[in-house]
Amino acid sequence: MNNICYVVAMRAEAEPFIKKYGIKEVEDFFAPLPCQLYEGMVNGMKLSVVLNGQQHGSDLVGCEAASIATMAAIQKLNPDLIINSGTCGAFLTNGAGIADVYIGNRAMFHDRRVPGDDAWSTQSIGNYPVWEGSKQLAEDLGFKTGKVTTGSSLDMQPCDLKMIQENGGELKDMEGAAVGFVCSLFGKPVLYVKSVTDLCDSGAETFEEFSRNLGKACEALKDANERIIEHLSAQR
Ligand code: ADE
């Protein structure tokens, strides 16, 4: 790997490793899009971090912003690998704990209900593949693996849970499958690094649990990304 690019929704999720590597913002790189670029070199490898950016005074989470950021990143930076790093919900019943870091092994949408034949359903669920080195990386560095399941809401409705369970979803986020969709169109490999802020089956109120654990999960994400960047740069 000579050129890796992170796509991250929330500044809080990227800030710890932007600081750690001392990478600098390239002002207005994606203008007029709100995405922001931080760039630098680590162990001879180019490291870019693209944030979705902000609108109405808050970070742009969700599929639309993630799609735009991923497409702009690929077209303008042409990285060898896209890494979608961020926080997620997970399930106690799958043995998940707060601030556990997972490597995604697939990415699907869980809130798209399109009737019709198998082709419509296959397309709407997505079920996108990940970078072929993901499994080995998880094994080498001792991370758990799981299927990323993406929707446009932080909460989880019964129909979402049904879709997640029927399709083996494990890591509930708001961007992963959108990043996977764009990468599938461009034939770009994608690695998912997800840190757990909340447990969807804990009975707690999701936003409260998410907010309480955000700092801890982002620290774990930084530690994981440091090890991942070391690992990838050693493969050059
Ligand atoms: N990001 C962090 N926790 C999440 C959840 N429960 N659902 C969607 N996105 C999340």
Side-chain angles (χ1 to χ4, degrees), residues 23-225:
I23 55 177
K24 298 282 176 253
E25 183 170 5
V26 183
E27 301 267 344
D28 295 329
F29 184 78
F30 292 111
L33 301 179
C35 320
Q36 291 168 300
L37 172 67
Y38 289 78
E39 219 172 43
M41 297 296 290
V42 177
N43 302 340
M45 183 174 72
K46 186 174 163 201
L47 170 66
S48 307
V49 176
V50 175
L51 298 181
N52 290 356
Q54 291 205 332
Q55 196 175 42
H56 305 309
S58 62
D59 291 342
L60 279 162
V61 296
C63 295
E64 296 82 356
S67 299
I68 288 170
T70 307
M71 183 162 161
I74 292 173
Q75 289 188 316
K76 291 199 68 162
L77 302 168
N78 193 25
D80 301 323
L81 179 68
I82 291 283
I83 305 177
N84 176 224
S85 171
T87 54
C88 68
F91 293 84
L92 275 170
T93 47
N94 292 335
I98 298 297
D100 282 355
V101 176
Y102 284 77
I103 299 298
N105 56 23
R106 205 101 196 156
M108 59 168 272
F109 289 104
H110 62 248
D111 61 357
R112 294 176 160 188
R113 293 172 293 281
V114 183
D117 59 16
D118 279 353
W120 284 111
S121 139
T122 301
Q123 188 237 104
S124 61
I125 293 173
N127 211 15
Y128 305 107
V130 297
W131 171 50
E132 60 184 10
S134 299
K135 186 163 182 266
Q136 191 62 54
L137 180 140
E139 273 174 31
D140 291 349
L141 300 182
F143 293 117
K144 298 186 198 181
T145 59
K147 187 169 186 175
V148 177
T149 175
T150 301
S152 293
S153 301
L154 189 72
D155 73 358
M156 184 174 67
Q157 296 299 313
C159 53
D160 298 329
L161 179 60
K162 183 169 178 282
M163 186 88 103
I164 290 169
Q165 286 175 335
E166 281 174 3
N167 291 279
E170 292 172 85
L171 311 169
K172 181 173 173 289
D173 80 348
M174 294 179 65
E175 292 86 18
V179 174
F181 164 64
V182 176
C183 287
S184 76
L185 299 181
F186 283 92
K188 277 285 170 206
V190 55
L191 170 68
Y192 293 100
V193 188
K194 298 281 164 179
S195 180
V196 177
T197 47
D198 52 275
L199 297 160
C200 303
D201 51 355
S202 69
E205 202 283 311
T206 305
F207 186 65
E208 192 281 318
E209 198 179 15
F210 165 80
S211 306
R212 181 160 31 93
N213 294 316
L214 182 62
K216 188 177 175 198
C218 291
E219 271 305 303
L221 202 54
K222 181 204 76 175
D223 293 344
N225 281 317

